[in-house]
Amino acid sequence: MKFNLLFGICLVVLALGCSSKDAPSESELKEQLYGKESEASVRILGSKQINLDENPDLEVIVLSQSGKSEVISTYKKLNGSWQLIWKQEFFSETLGPTYYDPNQNRWISGKIPGTEKVAFSGDLIRRVVLAELPGDSFNSVFLEVLVEEPPLGQFSIPLGYRKGKKIWDGFQLKEHEELVRTKRLDFEYIPKEKSFRIFNKSPNYSQEFVFNSWEMIPNLPMQPIPSFLTMEVEPKWELGKESLVTIQLKNRGNFVSLTYLTFSFPNKGNLRLAGETAGVRVYKKGEEVFNKQKSKRIPADYPMLEVTKEGWASQFRYGVKFYYTPLETIPPKIFFRSTYKFYQDVVSIPNQYSISNFELDQQGFFSYILPSLSSEKNISP
């Protein structure tokens, strides 16, 4: 696979470069990226101070070029030295200027006559959007990546990273008929919704993607997108001691008449409801649950809580309360998934297309892992 990408910031106009005090020098960058002994020649194409995590201290994002590669990387200054936090490197056999010709629907080598190179743009990194996601007070990094892959040749896709973890992978859309036709998967940030829209100039194929606190999900008709907001534990986790757990979710998708929210507890522990809760059921170890892979009911290996949520409107919150006593691990691991019916199909989130970390639960479904600490929360607007 070969890459080509362009760097442009969508939310703010970025001034070129930081001072030597505000960003690593080329020699410091070379050492951080390739090691002290490397003979690589590194050229900085641009840098910017910006906040990329919950810590209010600013990070520095840098675009650099070396040989047949370009790197987007982030740094923090610790004890007077720049420390590499995260990097993504992209390669191409032939570096050189490239531009997109909308009349021909393809990327072409060379420069557009009469135009200058865009600030922070490189030969491999074509566009970078720094944007806040729902619940975040900091920015995530979104790239437009130019890819070479037969039989399409060159085409661009989006990639998204939040705190260094990939949350959006445009390679999953490489067979999309509009991408096959246009060779460019253009995208735009929607500040009001804090979401992204692809093929925004093509009404027939325009599609919104929203963040569910783990990854970017296509916002489809009749599909809910349950998104994690907070988990509060009172008192704090202690082996053998019961805690009241309150989990807040929000539907960032569309209205759904019926959806199932499933929480599983694979570590040893005891689970019980917090009072009489309509539509919420606890399955204890040994009780029968349906296994998707075996297509039959099996005895549960560990406790599970299932919510039957009716009439969940878009942008509305929903809270779940229960008591849990950890007997093995602090903090306990908690799996989460949602399931809904789309016509005759049963659809789960996460699923085989997910790029976030997930595990199989005892029912054979992919499941997210909830944040383990009450301090790990997304306060949604």
Side-chain angles (χ1 to χ4, degrees), residues 120-330:
F120 285 163
S121 67
D123 298 328
L124 301 180
I125 299 181
R126 305 303 302 182
R127 189 158 71 105
V128 173
V129 173
L130 301 177
E132 286 188 8
L133 292 170
D136 288 345
S137 58
F138 55 88
N139 290 279
S140 294
V141 182
F142 297 88
L143 313 175
E144 182 178 1
V145 184
L146 196 65
V147 183
E148 273 186 60
E149 194 173 280
L152 285 180
Q154 288 185 322
F155 59 99
S156 73
I157 58 161
L159 295 173
Y161 300 89
R162 179 180 181 268
K163 297 194 294 185
K165 293 182 179 180
K166 185 186 288 186
I167 59 171
W168 198 13
D169 189 350
F171 278 110
Q172 296 177 331
L173 297 162
K174 66 181 181 180
E175 296 180 358
H176 193 291
E177 59 181 310
E178 182 68 357
L179 178 59
V180 171
R181 184 184 74 85
T182 63
K183 303 298 189 297
R184 185 180 188 186
L185 205 162
D186 196 9
F187 64 89
E188 67 174 348
Y189 178 67
I190 307 170
K192 182 179 179 181
E193 304 298 333
K194 294 190 175 182
S195 63
F196 283 83
R197 185 168 294 278
I198 64 170
F199 300 124
N200 45 293
K201 297 176 183 177
S202 178
N204 293 331
Y205 298 102
S206 181
Q207 175 66 62
E208 184 185 24
F209 279 73
V210 301
F211 183 58
N212 74 342
S213 305
W214 287 278
E215 59 185 329
M216 302 298 292
I217 302 288
N219 193 9
L220 304 175
M222 301 171 60
Q223 172 185 268
I225 303 179
S227 305
F228 173 77
L229 300 181
T230 63
M231 180 171 68
E232 297 179 358
V233 180
E234 182 63 37
K236 293 182 179 180
W237 296 119
E238 187 176 344
L239 285 179
K241 299 292 183 66
E242 186 176 71
S243 294
L244 175 62
V245 182
T246 304
I247 296 175
Q248 291 283 340
L249 303 169
K250 184 177 185 179
N251 179 15
R252 292 199 174 111
N254 288 291
F255 171 83
V256 63
S257 58
L258 183 66
T259 188
Y260 297 95
L261 309 172
T262 305
F263 301 86
S264 300
F265 304 81
N267 302 137
K268 289 182 180 179
N270 296 324
L271 172 69
R272 71 180 180 93
L273 289 178
E276 295 295 327
T277 306
V280 183
R281 179 178 175 181
V282 166
Y283 292 84
K284 297 180 180 179
K285 181 178 179 180
E287 291 190 46
E288 287 194 342
V289 295
F290 179 77
N291 182 278
K292 175 184 177 183
Q293 294 179 328
K294 297 180 180 179
S295 297
K296 66 177 184 179
R297 300 185 72 81
I298 63 169
D301 290 329
Y302 45 78
M304 184 181 84
L305 184 148
E306 186 176 74
V307 178
T308 302
K309 181 72 176 83
E310 298 183 4
W312 200 359
S314 176
Q315 304 305 317
F316 274 68
R317 298 182 181 223
Y318 179 74
V320 181
K321 288 188 176 184
F322 55 87
Y323 288 100
Y324 187 75
T325 305
L327 300 176
E328 181 181 44
T329 303
I330 296 177

